[in-house]
Amino acid sequence: MTLAIRGLGILALLAVLAALGCGGSGSDDDTGTDTGTGTADSDADGDADGDADGDTDADADGDTDGDSDTDTDTDTDGDTDTDSDSDSDTDTDTDSDSDSDSDTDTDMGWATIPAGSFWMGSPDGSCPSDYPGGAACTSELGRWDDEDLHYVTLTHSFKMLKTEVTQGDFEALMGWNPSYFTSCGTNCPVETVNWYDSVAYANALSSSESLTPCYVLSDIVCEDSTNVGTNALGCMNDTQGGISSATVALNGVATPYLCTGYRLPTESEWEYAIRAGSQTAFYPSAGNDGGITQTDCSVDPNLTQIGWYCGNASDTTHPAGGKEANAWGLYDMSGNVGEWVWDWYDTYPSGSTTTPLVDPTGAALASFRVVRGGDWYIYAYYCRSGSRFYSGSPGGRGNGFGLRLARSVP
């Protein structure tokens, strides 16, 4: 079994590898640019690769149905869409609710996330004076020092997939399933995809719906070193093995928030979405107050309700949407596979309630792209809403890497 353990301390790493009976090694040649060609890993350097060099080239290797109807009634028919009525509107979703309505939303599995503001990061015991509860806050169990609290305002509402992109979704559009856990089934999240594969998938979905793609990919090189120019699909097969490197730019817009097509969420959008108004370590759900009690593979009762991690996953991914959703109808963000986001990894800038950080997009250029969310092999404290990973070069891939798409609301 291949592993992709990101950002683990050395003692934690050794414990995980001993428990799973796995190991890994790797070597790198990435240069901190957008052309990394590494594969994901299992080391302690904070990337994802098996060596200690900071790259990712190891060889070890739901539903608030997001519909487009505008009714705002508040009756409770037990469904999970946003209208909860017994209407007969004819949107065409593939939600999994058990309501009596016949709506089938045209947005097919998307939740609408409203614009708003929130505290991003986690408390360290000495919080900003305008943080809820004031400066005398309690440090969050398992936090890392790259999670500085800062206040963010997102001015654009957006849609986000309620589940991670599945193996069936990816193969239907790209003609290829790169996943390691194919036996899990087509409703399990696609994995062993890197950042380049993810933006290519977003573009392909946009094109399939006659939307303007968010990204321009050029000088695309496949894992077997074939240069396919601008034809990302040319890499999507077992021979070429996916995209190893490419030049990626936004398609005629200044920020990803202005894209009209599908895209990766920004890191701020991702954390805003998982929190759904919460400030606890995990998002709360029925019988789950969001607190964290375990940091390793021991059973954390709250995390067990909402995510798959090393304490309950049995060394594999699981079908999408099998755990409890958050308040906005999003599933598996606390654990199944990690999810690529747009941003380069960097320290957080400051932001307060009086001078918030508005629509951040991360560093202009750095060495690593960010992966957010817990996954099937990771410790409990990595599954916290504020936890972040620098995964290594955008070309890094591993069986803990997947994706979830977003789209700005016009």
Side-chain angles (χ1 to χ4, degrees), residues 314-331:
S314 300
D315 301 345
T316 185
T317 57
H318 291 265
K323 293 291 187 177
E324 295 173 5
N326 73 0
W328 286 338
L330 303 172
Y331 295 85

Side-chain angles (χ1 to χ4, degrees), residues 334-357:
S334 298
N336 205 353
V337 293
E339 302 172 12
W340 290 101
V341 298
W342 167 254
D343 302 40
W344 290 103
Y345 176 84
D346 201 359
T347 56
Y348 284 147
S350 60
S352 67
T353 54
T354 55
T355 56
L357 189 64

Side-chain angles (χ1 to χ4, degrees), residues 47-335:
D47 60 28
D49 69 359
D51 48 26
D53 56 7
D55 68 3
T56 57
D57 54 14
D59 329 327
D61 313 315
D63 181 309
T64 54
D65 65 13
D67 52 21
S68 56
D69 53 351
T70 58
D71 48 53
T72 56
D73 43 292
T74 57
D75 53 299
T76 55
D77 61 356
D79 63 12
T80 54
D81 59 17
T82 55
D83 59 347
S84 67
D85 58 348
S86 297
D87 55 31
S88 58
D89 46 330
T90 57
D91 34 18
T92 57
D93 66 12
T94 56
D95 58 20
S96 57
D97 57 19
S98 56
D99 53 17
S100 58
D101 60 9
S102 59
D103 53 320
T104 48
D105 186 1
T106 55
D107 290 322
M108 294 187 8
W110 298 82
T112 299
I113 312 301
S117 299
F118 76 114
W119 283 100
M120 186 172 180
S122 63
D124 64 356
S126 179
C127 296
S129 59
D130 50 351
Y131 183 72
C137 60
T138 300
S139 181
E140 186 171 287
L141 181 65
R143 80 177 299 276
W144 284 64
D145 60 8
D146 63 352
E147 300 170 17
D148 293 341
L149 282 169
H150 57 295
Y151 199 69
V152 173
T153 293
L154 297 173
T155 63
H156 300 267
S157 297
F158 59 99
K159 291 183 180 291
M160 179 173 270
L161 271 176
K162 295 168 192 170
T163 65
E164 292 150 344
V165 173
T166 66
Q167 295 182 33
D169 293 334
F170 194 91
E171 185 169 14
L173 195 59
M174 310 302 277
W176 178 55
N177 181 8
S179 300
Y180 177 81
F181 295 109
T182 55
S183 61
C184 183
T186 58
N187 196 41
C188 293
V190 68
E191 24 79 12
T192 320
V193 290
N194 64 20
W195 187 86
Y196 297 116
D197 300 333
S198 301
V199 296
Y201 177 83
N203 271 5
L205 184 59
S206 296
S207 296
S208 74
E209 298 185 11
S210 300
L211 298 171
T212 302
C214 186
Y215 313 110
V216 176
L217 280 70
S218 58
D219 195 23
I220 299 171
V221 178
C222 307
E223 292 286 3
D224 73 339
S225 300
T226 301
N227 191 314
V228 295
T230 61
N231 179 25
L233 288 177
C235 291
M236 300 297 155
N237 57 73
D238 287 336
T239 300
Q240 273 65 54
I243 300 173
S244 172
S245 66
T247 299
V248 179
L250 293 174
N251 187 14
V253 294
T255 76
Y257 300 104
L258 300 179
C259 290
T260 58
Y262 297 106
R263 57 182 175 81
L264 296 181
T266 65
E267 187 176 12
S268 296
E269 285 178 317
W270 193 97
E271 187 166 329
Y272 179 64
I274 189 176
R275 290 192 177 280
S278 67
Q279 293 172 319
T280 46
F282 305 127
Y283 66 75
S285 62
N288 156 28
D289 65 7
I292 180 173
T293 56
Q294 304 295 329
T295 58
D296 54 14
C297 293
S298 301
V299 175
D300 185 296
N302 288 339
L303 177 56
T304 295
Q305 289 187 215
I306 62 174
W308 298 105
Y309 71 113
C310 64
N312 65 358
S314 300
D315 301 345
T316 185
T317 57
H318 291 265
K323 293 291 187 177
E324 295 173 5
N326 73 0
W328 286 338
L330 303 172
Y331 295 85
D332 298 333
M333 298 184 84
S334 298

Side-chain angles (χ1 to χ4, degrees), residues 4-10 13 17 24 41-55 58 382:
I5 299 178
R6 301 152 296 163
L8 292 177
I10 186 64
L13 169 68
L17 295 179
D41 77 352
S42 54
D43 66 348
D45 57 12
D47 60 28
D49 69 359
D51 48 26
D53 56 7
D55 68 3
Y382 285 105

